[in-house]
Amino acid sequence: MKYDAVIIGGGISGATCALVLSHFGCRVAVVEREAHVTPLLHGFVRHGVHHDTGFHYAGGLGPGEILDRFFRFLGLNQGMELYPLRAQGFDRIVDQSTSDVVEFSYGEQSWRDSLLAAFPREAAAINRFQQTVLSICDSLPYLNKEKTFGEDALFANSQDISLQAFVAELTQDRRLQAVLCMHCLLHGTPPDQIPLRLHAAVVGPYCRSVYGIRGGGRQLSQSFAASLQQANVDLYCGSRVTAMSVDPDNNITGVTLSSGQELVAAQVIHAADPRLLLDWLDEKCFRPVYRRRLTALQETQSALILFGQSARPVESLADRNLYLADLHLGTELFSASMAQRPLYLSSAGLELSTDDGVAQRCGIIGIMPEDYRCYEPWQATRRGQRPEEYLRFKHERRGQMLERIEQAAPEVAQALQQPFLATPLTLRDYLHYPQGAMYGVSHQLARYPLQVATRVRGLYLSGQALAAPGLMGAMIGAFYNCGTLLGHQRVSEELRQWQ
């Protein structure tokens, strides 16, 4: 089969690339190793309850904001219902060392006021943090619809100071430092490693609006699938790429699938782990320094994910999220012990209903950063074949998480039923990153971002590794990628019609 473009990886970025290129008249194919596109968003059902794995809430979904414009441009808004999280306290942090509560609210003034209520002597630090974050956001293309891309890397200036260094300049209050770094959970890179500029791009939109999607990630996944079908994009789900074809002049010519089928294309977009290119291409295609650079890429943190259900909606998780942490640890809280590091709690949304429309059950999810190295003794095993020693260790981890929830969020603990745990090995097996990364390749200080175009002409990179983690980062990276192929001005002008 012959296409204008073949996209490897049907996640958020790959699916977005496909829709944008199709919008501009390209014939596109998407190759996805799982049974359906956007598999991380799709989630799963256990004990009759759907558990969300890839979407919980987002900034930038307000009318006219970046994700709202993306959704309407791509046709994802059809049949989708958004709902605002609590304007006052959409995120609530429980300090386990003091039992004090700190809240994040949205709306620029409300965001400042909610933090000032907890830290009344830190007005200068809070104001400067918000001003800096929003200034960075407003300087970036797409986050600011008046800005346009150049041909350089998306975050070419990301080699600035770390988030940790910045908050240390702002305040000596370790509890406030911890609060300002709490949303590192949204990108999986600790505050001493994440560039301030990139962190700001991820968290800045939450200062202005915060929304959820009714039906969560599953609804968003279904919207992607429907839009791809309507755009006549060919999907090769359940297929793997085993090789890429390159002509003698180092031009990409297509890919070979595990079935032996060849897809011919003059343009191939790789929207998965960039390190896989080393397996699919002859070593002469890239210079040694670039090969070493790909090999040296590091992953974001892995996690323990606790799934459970509740017979009724939990009030403390209704349209808000909880974070449990010992704030006195300051910026070091992400390397703390199991009893102290941040633990995120959210409700996965109402899924089952009675005949009268009253919700019966909802999913509950808890996420905690975890070091993959703790699981290296069992890394040669696969799910369903883990040894008893691993199962005991996993059971202990689950017990420790449940104990923390019982101590700091008793209402959630009382409601939580049939809890089960996913470890970094589980994430490795399902997300296909060797160390179980939550957000793929890590964006770190002093590491220049990868470029979209590679030395192989017609081969491009996309995905979270190019821009920023999460829904917004993956979609920005996709639009940037398509701008590189089609012309940034052309894509930007078309997108402006959806303001």
Side-chain angles (χ1 to χ4, degrees), residues 288-327:
V289 65
Y290 189 76
R291 295 180 64 84
R292 290 195 296 271
R293 187 178 175 196
L294 291 180
T295 302
L297 289 174
Q298 297 183 24
E299 298 180 19
T300 57
Q301 286 183 305
S302 191
L304 292 168
I305 306 182
L306 184 72
F307 297 99
Q309 61 176 279
S310 172
R312 295 288 177 184
V314 181
E315 172 59 27
S316 57
L317 295 179
D319 298 334
R320 72 147 47 106
N321 308 288
L322 290 180
Y323 290 79
L324 314 180
D326 278 6
L327 298 182

Side-chain angles (χ1 to χ4, degrees), residues 37 108 156 194 197 231 233 242 283 289 314 402 435 464 466:
V37 293
E108 294 180 27
I194 190 72
R197 183 176 174 85
V233 173
T242 57
E283 63 179 23
V289 65
V314 181
L402 291 173
Q435 295 184 337
Q464 296 181 130
L466 269 292

Side-chain angles (χ1 to χ4, degrees), residues 296-442:
L297 289 174
Q298 297 183 24
E299 298 180 19
T300 57
Q301 286 183 305
S302 191
L304 292 168
I305 306 182
L306 184 72
F307 297 99
Q309 61 176 279
S310 172
R312 295 288 177 184
V314 181
E315 172 59 27
S316 57
L317 295 179
D319 298 334
R320 72 147 47 106
N321 308 288
L322 290 180
Y323 290 79
L324 314 180
D326 278 6
L327 298 182
H328 74 279
L329 295 172
T331 60
E332 299 171 2
L333 78 169
F334 284 87
S335 58
S337 67
M338 274 282 294
Q340 297 173 308
R341 73 183 75 138
L343 170 57
Y344 165 84
L345 292 170
S346 179
S347 174
L350 306 180
E351 296 298 338
L352 294 182
S353 301
T354 60
D355 293 337
D356 60 4
V358 178
Q360 286 184 310
R361 285 187 275 173
C362 62
I364 293 175
I365 188 171
I367 303 175
M368 177 190 293
E370 178 75 319
D371 192 336
Y372 179 83
R373 290 174 295 183
C374 296
Y375 299 82
E376 287 181 344
W378 310 291
Q379 64 181 352
T381 65
R382 294 291 164 180
R383 59 182 184 272
Q385 301 175 348
R386 315 282 194 212
E388 190 65 31
E389 182 184 12
Y390 163 82
L391 297 177
R392 285 195 299 269
F393 185 77
K394 178 180 177 180
H395 183 76
E396 291 172 3
R397 287 304 213 216
R398 189 192 75 151
Q400 290 172 305
M401 290 184 74
L402 291 173
E403 183 178 358
R404 285 190 62 189
I405 295 170
E406 184 176 356
Q407 292 174 352
E411 182 191 9
V412 177
Q414 292 169 9
L416 188 61
Q417 300 173 358
Q418 297 180 301
F420 57 97
L421 189 67
T423 72
L425 292 183
T426 316
L427 271 59
R428 180 202 65 182
D429 292 348
Y430 280 101
L431 304 183
H432 309 297
Y433 279 90
Q435 295 184 337
M438 280 282 289
Y439 295 101
V441 172
S442 176

